[in-house]
Amino acid sequence: MGSPLDTREEQVVEVLDRLYDAYPDTTISLNFSSRLELLVAVMLSAQCTDERVNKVTADLFEKYHSPEDYVNVPQEELAEDISSITYYNNKSKWIQSACRTIIDEHDGAVPDTMEELTDLTGVGRKTANVVLQHAHDVVEGIVVDTHVQRISRRLGITEEEYPEKIEQDLMTVVPEADWQQFTHLFISHGRATCTAINPDCSDCVLEGLCPSSKLDHEVDLASGESWT
């Protein structure tokens, strides 16, 4: 029976305990070996799968090693190099603009503050959080991607609809020590079980806690729509 615990804080702790058991080795799935590579990979990953990004960056990172490398090629050439990525033309422009700023204002180094990162073209709070956490070991927020957005709503942890508001809400109920892993655990669970369409509720470690379980409930709280 899918029934959430009495408080959101209790719900979060129990959800995390179960997900840590289910996915003990979960971590970021993008491949990178430098701060710049991570920044570029996360920029490319917007509305694109990590699997696709990793295929593209395998060659991309062999060609481009520095901000100068990205800036010193024609935008059309960079766009062609990432042409299998969604919105590749815009992303090539954003990457070049961000790299120019990194050269001009940060001595060629990827910035290490939220304010400076979000000042870069094409970098929002989600991207900045990923870069801070995995390139600088700075955790000052929760990365809210499509999986975190969907599952946190399904589980009744938040009723907010938009990523930045969801993040601020989650930061009030998720223990700070779990902020980074919270995202990875939800991504792993979203890929394995709690998919956007037709989640496998019958094989879900969170089913007994879930007010959106198809086994007991008629409405998906993530979308507010009835299960079909």
Side-chain angles (χ1 to χ4, degrees):
M1 183 64 159
S3 300
L5 299 181
D6 291 340
T7 69
R8 294 194 300 156
E9 289 82 0
E10 291 175 314
Q11 179 82 338
V12 165
V13 169
E14 183 61 28
V15 164
L16 285 172
D17 283 348
R18 296 188 187 192
L19 293 181
Y20 274 122
D21 286 342
Y23 310 102
D25 301 316
T26 187
T27 188
I28 188 170
S29 56
L30 292 171
N31 297 331
F32 65 96
S33 60
S34 71
R35 290 169 174 170
L36 179 63
E37 287 185 1
L38 176 60
L39 174 63
V40 171
V42 181
M43 292 176 73
L44 294 176
S45 73
Q47 296 180 284
C48 188
T49 66
D50 289 356
E51 181 180 13
R52 167 59 60 185
V53 171
N54 285 336
K55 288 181 180 178
V56 169
T57 57
D59 293 325
L60 190 74
F61 294 159
E62 289 292 320
K63 179 176 180 179
Y64 301 89
H65 302 99
S66 68
E68 289 81 5
D69 289 341
Y70 287 101
V71 168
N72 290 334
V73 298
Q75 180 262 326
E76 295 79 8
E77 181 177 341
L78 177 56
E80 178 62 27
D81 289 337
I82 61 172
S83 59
S84 64
I85 296 287
T86 52
Y87 308 111
Y88 64 90
N89 198 46
N90 283 337
K91 289 178 180 178
S92 65
K93 294 176 183 177
W94 297 340
I95 289 169
Q96 286 194 320
S97 177
C99 284
R100 286 192 190 97
T101 302
I102 288 171
I103 294 167
D104 293 343
E105 300 181 15
H106 303 287
D107 297 322
V110 174
D112 60 0
T113 69
M114 178 65 70
E115 182 178 4
E116 290 173 325
L117 282 166
T118 54
D119 278 345
L120 300 176
T121 304
V123 177
R125 187 172 174 89
K126 171 193 163 186
T127 296
N129 264 323
V130 175
V131 173
L132 286 174
Q133 291 181 15
H134 294 280
H136 296 289
D137 293 322
V138 174
V139 181
E140 62 174 69
I142 296 173
V143 177
V144 177
D145 79 332
T146 183
H147 298 290
V148 174
Q149 183 173 5
R150 178 178 69 254
I151 299 173
S152 62
R153 285 176 55 80
R154 276 184 179 162
L155 288 168
I157 296 171
T158 185
E159 294 182 356
E160 297 292 348
E161 297 182 16
Y162 301 104
E164 289 201 9
K165 288 190 175 182
I166 289 173
E167 181 190 7
Q168 296 305 314
D169 194 27
L170 292 177
M171 287 166 64
T172 68
V173 293
V174 177
E176 187 170 354
D178 296 303
W179 283 1
Q180 181 170 319
Q181 284 303 100
F182 184 90
T183 298
H184 298 316
L185 292 166
F186 273 47
I187 289 174
S188 292
H189 193 58
R191 289 172 174 164
T193 303
C194 195
T195 52
I197 300 173
N198 197 28
D200 189 3
C201 298
S202 62
D203 191 36
C204 178
V205 296
L206 303 178
E207 192 279 328
L209 300 168
C210 185
S212 296
S213 170
K214 293 190 299 180
L215 306 185
D216 302 302
H217 302 280
E218 296 181 356
V219 175
D220 177 5
L221 294 180
S223 64
E225 297 178 357
S226 298
W227 291 113
T228 56

